[in-house]
Amino acid sequence: QVQLVESGGGLVQAGSSLRLSCAASGITFRGKFIGWFRQAPGMEREFVSGIGTSGMTYYADSVKGRFSTSGDSAKPTVYLQMNSLKPEDTAVYYCAVRTRYVSDYRSTDEYSMWGQGTQVTVSS
């Protein structure tokens, strides 16, 4: 069974750092575009970051300069390094595999494989 599992979330103070991991079982990330999304209570799921097949990375304006994503396309793990965390970063964070190329990488409709999410809570 194909499965994505996020880990590394937790409760931290503003200004702290966390590194999230997205591990895959049953698939390889080689040749795939991997996205990170987050969802706060009552809010729509929003794009955070992505890494393409060539290693090019993409970021939402709200996290650019603070977050970075990395990984090896040949191994089933990608990472989201989150620095200078703010209370507004509080959300459940998900990784996902893009399987549709009709809109763009920021759309949740472009992804069909999702992890269960990991909670990130940033206190002031």
Side-chain angles (χ1 to χ4, degrees):
Q1 181 75 16
V2 175
Q3 186 175 23
L4 303 179
V5 179
E6 302 93 336
S7 62
L11 172 62
V12 298
Q13 298 281 93
S16 297
S17 297
L18 283 173
R19 187 187 71 167
L20 305 185
S21 298
C22 174
S25 177
I27 63 168
T28 175
F29 285 151
R30 183 172 57 251
K32 298 181 176 66
F33 185 101
I34 309 300
W36 286 96
F37 292 79
R38 66 187 183 187
Q39 187 169 25
M43 305 295 289
E44 293 187 353
R45 194 167 297 187
E46 66 173 342
F47 173 79
V48 175
S49 181
I51 181 167
T53 58
S54 67
M56 181 174 292
T57 55
Y58 305 80
Y59 300 95
D61 288 342
S62 59
V63 306
K64 188 171 293 185
R66 298 188 297 121
F67 293 8
S68 63
T69 188
S70 63
D72 188 337
S73 63
K75 80 181 207 178
T77 305
V78 297
Y79 305 94
L80 181 66
Q81 179 66 44
M82 306 187 295
N83 299 321
S84 302
L85 283 162
K86 305 174 180 180
E88 52 262 45
D89 295 319
T90 295
V92 176
Y93 284 71
Y94 302 87
C95 65
V97 178
R98 191 182 185 186
T99 56
R100 190 169 179 261
Y101 293 83
V102 175
S103 183
D104 64 64
Y105 60 84
R106 296 168 295 180
S107 173
T108 58
D109 291 339
E110 299 285 287
Y111 303 78
S112 62
M113 300 181 184
W114 295 83
Q116 86 291 347
T118 185
Q119 177 71 49
V120 172
T121 302
V122 184
S123 62
S124 60

